[in-house]
Amino acid sequence: MAALSGDRIDRDATIGGRTPPPVRPDLAALTGYHSAQVDVAVRLNTNESPMPPPAAWLDALTRGLSDIDFNRYPDREAHSLRQALADSHGVRPEQVFCANGSNEVLQSLLLAYGGAERSVALFEPTYTLHGHIARITGTPVAAGHRTDDFRLDLDEVRRVVADADPVITFLASPNNPTGRAEPPEVVEAVLDLAPGLLVVDEAYGQFAPSSALDLVRAGGPDAERVAVVRTFSKTWSMAGVRLGYLVAAPEVVEACELVALPYHLDSAKQLAGILALQFVDEMEARVSTLKEERGKIAAALTDLPVETWPSDANFILFRPRSKDARAVWSDLLEASVLVRDCSEWPGLAGCLRVTVGLAGENDRFLAALTESLQ
Ligand code: PMP
C-alpha cells in the first residue's frame, strides 16, 4: 500500500520491501493444532465417525436445500435448530447456543468470559484446544496435572483453582486423548471447588455412561455455572458440516451471543442439524457398533507390547513399550494407516491414539501395529 508523507503519496515505500506487521507478540510462540491430512487408506487420526450419515438424512437435506432462500441471510438466532436441540435434551431453547463446530463454541465462551485479566483452569493431559483457544483469546491458562493413570486428582483441582481463581474450569468428558469419562460425583466435586463456570466438553458424550447434562437439567444455583458442550462431528457423522452447541443457563447463552458474529450459522447447516435429530436411532446404532469395535481393539492390544487405558470414547490411547512411538507411527503410515501422534503433548510421552474405525480398518491397524512391534 502507498504511504503518505506530507501531502504527497510516497510510492517508493511500496517498493522498499515492506512486509506485513508481525502478529501479536503473545501469539508468536503458538503453533497451530493440526493433525496430518494425508492420503491414506485407513484414517484413524481425528476421531471422526467412519460411517457416513444415514442415506435418508442426505435425501432429506438435498430436498430441503432447494427450499432455502439463499439470497437471504439465515435465521440469526437459529430458532428451529435450538428448539429441536432443546427438545432432544429436555431443556429450553434459551439454554442452547449453536456455532460452527464445538471449537467455535469454546472460542465463544473464551471471548465472552476470558481476557488478559482473567484465567482458565484445565488438567493435562486433556484436549489441547482448550488451552490453545484460551491463549488465542489472550486468556492466561492455569494448567494442573492428572494422575499417572490420567484421572482427576481433586486435591490438585483444589490447588489449581485456589491459586488461579479461574473464570472457567475446563473438563473434557470423555477426556481426549486419554479416553475416560469423569464419573458424575467427580464432576460435581469439581463444580464445588471451581469458582466460575465449569465447561464440560462432551464431544464424545454419546459413548459415555453419564452426562453433565443431568446437572444442567436439575437446575439450582450451581447448575447455572455448568455449560455442556457437544458436537455433531463424531457420533452424528457430520464432521464436514461443522456444527456444535452448548447447553447451559440462558445467561451463558446470552454471553456467547454477544461475541458471535451476525448470521454465523448458515441456513444449510441449520437445516442439516435439524434433520439429523430425526435420526437418533441410527446415530445410536452407530455408537453401539463402534463400542463393539472398540472392545475388539482393546482386547487385541492386551496381546501386544503396549500400555493402554480404558476408553469411554471412540478412540484408544496406547503407548508402545518396545519401540519409540514416532517410529511406530511411521511404520503405520507406511502401511497406509494414520493414527494420532500424541507423544509430544504434555504428559503423553510415547503415546499414540487410534480412532475406532470400521471392522476392516481396525483389523488393518492391528495387523500393521503387530508387524511394527515384532
Ligand atoms: N472437544 C473435544 C474434546 C474434541 O476432541 C473435539 C474434536 N477433536 C472437539 C471438541 C471439536 O470438535 P468440533 O469442532 O468438530 O465440533
Side-chain angles (χ1 to χ4, degrees):
M1 196 189 294
L4 283 176
S5 81
D7 59 355
R8 185 173 64 84
I9 294 177
D10 180 3
R11 299 206 176 270
D12 288 350
T14 62
I15 303 166
R18 286 194 169 188
T19 54
V23 297
R24 271 168 32 202
D26 61 315
L27 291 185
L30 285 185
T31 50
Y33 167 89
H34 300 298
S35 191
Q37 283 199 311
V38 287
D39 200 11
V40 286
V42 180
R43 257 168 50 179
L44 304 177
N45 64 329
T46 43
N47 299 344
E48 297 143 309
S49 170
M51 297 97 142
W57 170 83
L58 193 56
D59 283 350
L61 181 62
T62 311
R63 273 183 271 116
L65 284 177
S66 55
D67 291 334
I68 289 178
D69 291 330
F70 278 106
N71 54 320
R72 298 292 174 197
Y73 282 117
D75 173 4
R76 197 178 62 209
E77 290 176 25
H79 285 102
S80 306
L81 175 58
R82 288 167 68 198
Q83 182 69 58
L85 283 165
D87 291 347
S88 81
H89 289 306
V91 296
R92 290 173 288 132
E94 309 88 84
Q95 292 180 269
V96 180
F97 170 76
C98 300
N100 294 286
S102 51
N103 281 337
E104 196 183 61
V105 175
L106 297 167
Q107 186 188 53
S108 305
L109 284 165
L110 282 156
L111 286 171
Y113 290 102
E117 308 302 319
R118 297 170 162 206
S119 68
V120 298
L122 46 82
F123 298 90
E124 288 174 336
T126 191
Y127 183 44
T128 320
L129 273 230
H130 293 162
H132 185 76
I133 302 173
R135 291 183 187 99
I136 287 173
T137 62
T139 313
V141 176
H145 300 285
R146 287 169 181 265
T147 61
D148 286 347
D149 66 348
F150 306 131
R151 290 175 197 271
L152 273 183
D153 170 356
L154 291 177
D155 287 335
E156 171 74 345
V157 175
R158 187 175 295 107
R159 183 189 71 75
V160 172
V161 300
D163 218 38
D165 191 23
V167 68
I168 295 178
T169 300
F170 284 105
L171 293 182
S173 179
N175 191 37
N176 177 14
T178 59
R180 231 190 293 250
E182 303 302 345
E185 60 277 13
V186 171
V187 177
E188 282 176 47
V190 176
L191 180 61
D192 241 19
L193 294 169
L197 200 61
L198 176 63
V199 173
V200 187
D201 181 342
E202 295 190 350
Y204 308 93
Q206 290 90 345
F207 292 99
S210 61
S211 167
L213 283 166
D214 288 339
L215 266 178
V216 178
R217 274 189 294 259
D222 267 347
E224 297 191 345
R225 294 191 295 113
V226 183
V228 179
V229 178
R230 292 214 158 188
T231 180
F232 280 82
S233 295
K234 316 294 178 182
T235 45
W236 290 100
S237 297
M238 285 166 53
V241 171
R242 309 303 299 127
L243 179 60
Y245 60 97
L246 68 72
V247 180
E251 294 89 316
V252 177
V253 171
E254 281 164 25
C256 290
E257 280 165 352
L258 272 182
V259 297
L261 296 175
Y263 313 113
H264 70 301
L265 218 58
D266 69 75
S267 305
K269 186 188 312 272
Q270 294 187 32
L271 177 64
I274 293 164
L275 293 173
L277 294 169
Q278 297 170 8
F279 295 91
V280 177
D281 292 348
E282 288 79 352
M283 182 275 282
E284 284 173 355
R286 290 196 295 275
V287 170
S288 307
T289 307
L290 291 173
K291 278 184 173 171
E292 252 175 63
E293 284 301 312
R294 180 182 73 201
K296 277 166 46 186
I297 299 176
L301 289 176
T302 59
D303 292 334
L304 292 173
V306 298
E307 190 177 358
T308 60
W309 292 269
S311 171
D312 296 308
N314 64 337
F315 53 82
I316 295 180
L317 186 76
F318 64 100
R319 180 186 279 140
R321 291 186 210 274
S322 53
K323 197 168 179 177
D324 175 63
R326 187 74 200 170
V328 174
W329 184 86
S330 299
D331 289 347
L332 293 176
L333 188 60
E334 194 77 7
S336 210
V337 176
L338 184 61
V339 299
R340 194 71 191 259
D341 180 3
C342 312
S343 59
E344 308 261 301
W345 299 4
L348 292 175
C351 288
L352 301 173
R353 186 195 69 196
V354 62
T355 304
V356 178
L358 299 171
E361 296 177 315
N362 301 332
D363 289 346
R364 215 164 142 176
F365 156 71
L366 287 167
L369 181 64
T370 307
E371 172 87 23
S372 167
L373 296 175
Q374 248 160 25

